PDB file of all heavy atoms in Angstrom:
ATOM      1  N   VAL V 131      84.250-139.085 131.357  1.00 94.00           N
ATOM      2  CA  VAL V 131      85.576-139.657 131.150  1.00 94.00           C
ATOM      3  C   VAL V 131      85.638-141.001 131.869  1.00 94.00           C
ATOM      4  O   VAL V 131      85.366-141.091 133.073  1.00 94.00           O
ATOM      5  CB  VAL V 131      86.684-138.719 131.666  1.00 94.00           C
ATOM      6  CG1 VAL V 131      88.061-139.315 131.388  1.00 94.00           C
ATOM      7  CG2 VAL V 131      86.557-137.345 131.012  1.00 94.00           C
ATOM      8  N   SER V 132      85.979-142.043 131.116  1.00 94.00           N
ATOM      9  CA  SER V 132      86.109-143.378 131.700  1.00 94.00           C
ATOM     10  C   SER V 132      87.395-144.022 131.199  1.00 94.00           C
ATOM     11  O   SER V 132      87.908-143.678 130.127  1.00 94.00           O
ATOM     12  CB  SER V 132      84.895-144.246 131.357  1.00 94.00           C
ATOM     13  OG  SER V 132      84.724-144.334 129.953  1.00 94.00           O
ATOM     14  N   LEU V 133      87.893-144.970 131.973  1.00 94.00           N
ATOM     15  CA  LEU V 133      89.124-145.696 131.638  1.00 94.00           C
ATOM     16  C   LEU V 133      88.752-147.111 131.229  1.00 94.00           C
ATOM     17  O   LEU V 133      88.033-147.811 131.954  1.00 94.00           O
ATOM     18  CB  LEU V 133      90.068-145.714 132.837  1.00 94.00           C
ATOM     19  CG  LEU V 133      91.405-146.443 132.653  1.00 94.00           C
ATOM     20  CD1 LEU V 133      92.274-145.727 131.641  1.00 94.00           C
ATOM     21  CD2 LEU V 133      92.129-146.572 133.992  1.00 94.00           C
ATOM     22  N   ILE V 134      89.255-147.553 130.077  1.00 93.00           N
ATOM     23  CA  ILE V 134      88.964-148.884 129.553  1.00 93.00           C
ATOM     24  C   ILE V 134      90.265-149.673 129.485  1.00 93.00           C
ATOM     25  O   ILE V 134      91.252-149.206 128.900  1.00 93.00           O
ATOM     26  CB  ILE V 134      88.315-148.794 128.149  1.00 93.00           C
ATOM     27  CG1 ILE V 134      87.027-147.978 128.216  1.00 93.00           C
ATOM     28  CG2 ILE V 134      88.033-150.182 127.600  1.00 93.00           C
ATOM     29  CD1 ILE V 134      86.389-147.723 126.865  1.00 93.00           C
ATOM     30  N   LEU V 135      90.254-150.876 130.095  1.00 93.00           N
ATOM     31  CA  LEU V 135      91.425-151.749 130.120  1.00 93.00           C
ATOM     32  C   LEU V 135      91.092-153.043 129.397  1.00 93.00           C
ATOM     33  O   LEU V 135      90.040-153.644 129.621  1.00 93.00           O
ATOM     34  CB  LEU V 135      91.843-152.048 131.566  1.00 93.00           C
ATOM     35  CG  LEU V 135      92.084-150.835 132.474  1.00 93.00           C
ATOM     36  CD1 LEU V 135      92.400-151.295 133.885  1.00 93.00           C
ATOM     37  CD2 LEU V 135      93.208-149.978 131.923  1.00 93.00           C
ATOM     38  N   GLY V 136      91.991-153.476 128.521  1.00 90.00           N
ATOM     39  CA  GLY V 136      91.808-154.722 127.794  1.00 90.00           C
ATOM     40  C   GLY V 136      93.064-155.576 127.874  1.00 90.00           C
ATOM     41  O   GLY V 136      94.186-155.063 127.751  1.00 90.00           O
ATOM     42  N   SER V 137      92.878-156.878 128.114  1.00 88.00           N
ATOM     43  CA  SER V 137      94.027-157.778 128.258  1.00 88.00           C
ATOM     44  C   SER V 137      93.639-159.167 127.772  1.00 88.00           C
ATOM     45  O   SER V 137      92.477-159.571 127.867  1.00 88.00           O
ATOM     46  CB  SER V 137      94.477-157.830 129.720  1.00 88.00           C
ATOM     47  OG  SER V 137      95.520-158.773 129.890  1.00 88.00           O
ATOM     48  N   PHE V 138      94.646-159.884 127.252  1.00 86.00           N
ATOM     49  CA  PHE V 138      94.413-161.253 126.802  1.00 86.00           C
ATOM     50  C   PHE V 138      94.361-162.241 127.953  1.00 86.00           C
ATOM     51  O   PHE V 138      93.800-163.329 127.831  1.00 86.00           O
ATOM     52  CB  PHE V 138      95.507-161.683 125.824  1.00 86.00           C
ATOM     53  CG  PHE V 138      95.507-160.881 124.549  1.00 86.00           C
ATOM     54  CD1 PHE V 138      96.685-160.466 123.974  1.00 86.00           C
ATOM     55  CD2 PHE V 138      94.320-160.542 123.932  1.00 86.00           C
ATOM     56  CE1 PHE V 138      96.687-159.719 122.805  1.00 86.00           C
ATOM     57  CE2 PHE V 138      94.305-159.800 122.757  1.00 86.00           C
ATOM     58  CZ  PHE V 138      95.502-159.388 122.192  1.00 86.00           C
ATOM     59  N   VAL V 139      94.969-161.897 129.082  1.00 85.00           N
ATOM     60  CA  VAL V 139      95.071-162.840 130.206  1.00 85.00           C
ATOM     61  C   VAL V 139      94.286-162.371 131.426  1.00 85.00           C
ATOM     62  O   VAL V 139      94.306-163.028 132.458  1.00 85.00           O
ATOM     63  CB  VAL V 139      96.554-163.060 130.588  1.00 85.00           C
ATOM     64  CG1 VAL V 139      97.298-163.717 129.442  1.00 85.00           C
ATOM     65  CG2 VAL V 139      97.224-161.743 130.959  1.00 85.00           C
TER      66      VAL V 139
END
Side-chain angles (χ1 to χ4, degrees):
V131 182
S132 57
L133 180 66
I134 301 174
L135 306 176
S137 176
F138 296 139
V139 296

